[in-house]
Amino acid sequence: MSLAYAILGFLRKEAMTGYELKNQCFDQTIAHLWRADQAQIYKTLDKLVESGWIACKIETQRDRPHRKVYSITEIGKAELWKWLQCHQPLPTIREPLLIQLFFGAELSNEAIVHLLKQELVAHQKKLADCDQITLPPLEDASTNRDQKMQQLVLELVKQKEQTYINWLRTAIDVVSHQQEA
């Protein structure tokens, strides 16, 4: 249900189309936190309209299909406010690589190291992508409240990625020096 609240959060700032939500918000703003494809976004938008949390206004265009512009309603603002104040349960972590490693004794060291190196590249890329996000430093007195919250989140994501990278390097080293049975 967090996707719905992410959409409400973006619509709280300004009315948008589903396309704008996907491309400007999910792909460019919070891709490091939450991925959503176009179908998920439109399905959730329909549910939010149905629940009365957002409204949809159709804008006609001459040479293009009509645009559906979504905006948050007072009910939606109240629901977002309630959700923002509630503690969320810890997520269930599903890491395919960790399951592979758990049963990895079946594989050769070379095969395991190959998997670990692929994962290392993926996490290094995610960290590099996060490093490209420009937000003012937390210490900057001119930083507004939204930017401070976003920077705090970004810092945690970067620290988690760096920790995972460090663990992968250790795992590669351990497996590389492990005797095969």
Side-chain angles (χ1 to χ4, degrees):
M1 191 62 166
S2 292
L3 176 60
Y5 292 104
I7 290 171
L8 289 174
F10 285 120
L11 294 179
R12 180 189 57 126
K13 299 213 180 260
E14 67 179 293
M16 286 185 244
T17 65
Y19 178 84
E20 291 167 334
L21 280 164
K22 168 70 173 137
N23 293 300
Q24 294 171 15
C25 299
F26 284 92
D27 289 353
Q28 294 179 20
T29 306
I30 63 167
H32 59 290
L33 298 175
W34 198 275
R35 296 219 180 260
D37 64 36
Q38 196 76 33
Q40 290 172 308
I41 291 170
Y42 279 105
K43 184 177 178 181
T44 304
L45 285 169
D46 289 341
K47 287 180 181 177
L48 290 171
V49 168
E50 201 174 289
S51 69
W53 294 9
I54 64 172
C56 178
K57 178 181 160 193
I58 298 180
E59 292 181 356
T60 57
Q61 301 184 101
R62 283 188 359 167
D63 297 333
R64 295 181 173 171
H66 301 318
R67 285 172 27 118
K68 289 183 176 182
V69 179
Y70 299 92
S71 58
I72 193 168
T73 64
E74 290 304 316
I75 296 169
K77 288 177 186 175
E79 290 297 328
L80 177 61
W81 177 252
K82 278 194 311 194
W83 180 80
L84 286 171
Q85 296 181 75
C86 292
H87 176 265
Q88 300 301 308
L90 290 176
T92 300
I93 298 175
R94 292 187 172 107
E95 291 272 354
L97 175 70
L98 296 181
I99 298 300
Q100 287 174 299
L101 285 179
F102 188 84
F103 297 108
E106 301 292 321
L107 299 174
S108 69
N109 288 354
E110 184 180 339
I112 295 169
V113 167
H114 179 72
L115 288 172
L116 292 168
K117 285 182 177 179
Q118 288 176 314
E119 193 76 7
L120 178 61
V121 168
H123 283 276
Q124 288 171 326
K125 181 184 180 332
K126 184 171 180 181
L127 181 58
D129 290 346
C130 288
D131 286 337
Q132 296 301 310
I133 297 170
T134 54
L135 288 169
L138 286 170
E139 310 80 40
D140 187 338
S142 67
T143 304
N144 69 38
R145 189 170 168 80
D146 274 349
Q147 291 170 324
K148 283 221 190 274
M149 297 300 108
Q150 292 166 10
Q151 184 63 23
L152 282 169
V153 170
L154 181 60
E155 285 302 314
L156 176 60
V157 171
K158 289 166 65 171
Q159 287 177 23
K160 287 170 85 174
E161 287 306 313
Q162 189 59 60
T163 297
Y164 209 123
I165 288 167
N166 294 345
W167 175 82
L168 285 163
R169 288 180 176 145
T170 299
I172 289 167
D173 185 53
V174 167
V175 173
S176 295
H177 295 97
Q178 178 69 41
Q179 289 284 351
E180 291 191 40

